[in-house]
Amino acid sequence: MSEAAEPPTGASERSLAASARRAQIVEAAIETLAEYGYGQTTFARIKQRAGISSTRLISYHFDTKGQLMDAVLEEVGLRAHRSISQRVAGETSALGALTARIEAQLEWVARNPSSVRAMSEICLNERDAEGALRYGMEVTARANVDALEPILRAGQESGEFRQFDTGLMALTLKSAIDAAIVRMARPPRLSLAQCVRELTALARLATRQEP
C-alpha cells in the first residue's frame, strides 16, 4: 500500500501562518481585555496591540467579537488546565493531589493576572442576542468543582478521607479558593504563600479521618 501524499509545502506553511496569526490575535485580545475591560475591547484596539495592519485580519479568523471571546476563554482555560494538571499528575495520594491542585491554582492566578482579568471580563459581560449573560461566573465555578470532586471521591474510596458529601466539600473548597484570590488582589492583601498555607491546612483538616 502506498503512503498518502503529504500536503504541498506551500499549503502547510499557509496553515501554520494562519494558526500563528490566530494565536497572535487571541493573545492581543487577552491583554486588551486586561487593560481596558470588555466594553473598551474593540477590534481596532486588538489590531493595534497585535501590531497587524487591518481589523480585516481579525475578521478573517473571527466573524464577531463573541467568537473571539469564545477563543479567549478556551485558550485561558487550556493554559490553566495544563499548568494545574501537570502539578497534580505526579501525586500518589488524594491529599497530595488535593493540596497540589489548590497550590497550583492559586499560583497560576497570582502569576497570570492578565488572563484572569480577561476571563472575568468575558464571563461578566459577554451577552447573547436576548441580552442574557452567555457565561457568567458559573463557568469557572463548575470547572473548579468538577476538578475537585473526583479527588475527594478517590480519597474516600481509598480510606484516606473521612465520609462527607463530596459535592458540598468541593463547593466549600472552591469558595475558599475564590476568597483567597480576592485577598491576594485587594487590601488588606495576603501573600500567595499565606493563602496556600491556610487553604491547604483547611483542606487537610476538613477531609482527614477522625482520630
Side-chain angles (χ1 to χ4, degrees):
M1 182 182 294
S2 61
E3 294 184 0
E6 294 188 0
T9 301
S12 178
E13 289 178 349
R14 285 194 296 274
S15 178
L16 288 173
S19 295
R21 175 72 74 193
R22 189 178 190 278
Q24 179 187 13
I25 292 167
V26 170
E27 187 62 38
I30 290 171
E31 296 299 326
T32 305
L33 282 160
E35 181 174 355
Y36 294 102
Y38 180 89
Q40 298 302 314
T41 293
T42 62
F43 277 15
R45 280 204 164 105
I46 295 169
K47 172 189 79 71
Q48 184 176 17
R49 173 84 62 172
I52 56 181
S53 60
S54 172
T55 57
R56 287 195 299 273
L57 292 173
I58 302 175
S59 300
Y60 175 80
H61 294 278
F62 306 100
D63 291 337
T64 64
K65 182 177 179 179
Q67 286 187 5
L68 178 52
M69 296 301 100
D70 290 345
V72 168
L73 275 187
E74 181 180 6
E75 176 62 24
V76 171
L78 284 173
R79 291 179 187 180
H81 176 72
R82 282 195 297 263
S83 178
I84 295 169
S85 295
Q86 286 174 1
R87 292 280 292 279
V88 176
E91 298 296 332
T92 57
S93 69
L95 181 60
L98 182 58
T99 55
R101 177 171 179 82
I102 292 170
E103 182 177 356
Q105 184 169 353
L106 290 175
E107 286 184 359
W108 190 86
V109 168
R111 293 170 183 172
N112 296 274
S114 292
S115 293
V116 173
R117 173 77 191 280
M119 179 180 288
S120 177
E121 285 293 314
I122 294 170
C123 288
L124 293 175
N125 292 283
E126 176 70 13
R127 296 179 181 274
D128 61 22
E130 285 71 45
L133 285 174
R134 291 181 59 207
Y135 298 106
M137 297 311 293
E138 178 64 21
V139 172
T140 54
R142 190 68 255 168
N144 287 332
V145 170
D146 288 347
L148 287 166
E149 198 166 2
I151 299 174
L152 298 171
R153 284 198 299 268
Q156 288 182 335
E157 290 168 2
S158 68
E160 190 177 347
F161 293 162
R162 66 180 178 83
Q163 291 301 307
F164 49 76
D165 184 277
T166 56
L168 178 58
M169 182 65 76
L171 186 59
T172 299
L173 292 175
K174 176 264 173 193
S175 298
I177 292 168
D178 288 348
I181 290 169
V182 171
R183 285 301 302 274
M184 285 193 295
R186 300 177 187 171
R189 288 184 173 87
L190 292 177
S191 69
L192 171 61
Q194 287 174 307
C195 289
V196 167
R197 183 173 63 249
E198 293 300 327
L199 265 64
T200 53
L202 172 66
R204 183 178 65 255
L205 294 171
T207 58
R208 69 180 181 179
Q209 288 282 7
E210 295 296 335

